[in-house]
Amino acid sequence: MNDELATTSRSLDSIVEELDRYHQRATYGAVAKLLGRSPRSLMQGRSRSASDSWIVSGSNGVPTGYEEEQMASELKSREKVIRSSDELAAWLANPD
């Protein structure tokens, strides 16, 4: 399977699942670009859950509009935040 096909077969749910599993944050912009969507509408219609909290603002590394109790308790366990769609695609191919 080539990289383009692997990228286009991803869904928001599958990305959230991987980010949650490996306790890795990624920006709204990185995830949205990978999915060909707008960062502003990426999380529209989703509840604010701990698993979705791994998708964060690039400016402060936390999810926008979440209360502390809605965020994963391990949210800041890794310093690194994935900031580009290319970096996210590479990480998803070989999460660590």
Side-chain angles (χ1 to χ4, degrees):
M1 181 183 297
N2 67 35
D3 289 339
E4 184 177 328
L5 183 56
T7 297
T8 58
S9 67
R10 291 277 178 188
S11 68
L12 180 56
D13 286 336
S14 71
I15 292 170
V16 165
E17 184 179 308
E18 290 295 290
L19 294 171
D20 186 35
R21 177 180 296 138
Y22 291 97
H23 297 167
Q24 178 60 60
R25 292 178 288 166
T27 64
Y28 294 107
V31 176
K33 186 168 183 183
L34 188 69
L35 295 173
R37 297 175 58 184
S38 162
R40 288 188 172 271
S41 64
L42 181 66
M43 305 304 282
Q44 195 169 28
R46 295 178 73 97
S47 61
R48 291 186 172 124
S49 67
S51 58
D52 281 348
S53 71
W54 295 100
I55 301 177
V56 299
S57 167
S59 63
N60 62 11
V62 296
T64 302
Y66 278 60
E67 298 295 328
E68 191 71 33
E69 64 273 3
Q70 295 172 312
M71 293 184 234
S73 58
E74 307 87 359
L75 190 66
K76 295 184 179 177
S77 61
R78 288 184 187 222
E79 188 175 322
K80 177 154 183 57
V81 176
I82 295 172
R83 297 183 177 277
S84 75
S85 60
D86 289 341
E87 184 182 6
L88 179 58
W91 181 84
L92 287 167
N94 188 22
D96 57 5

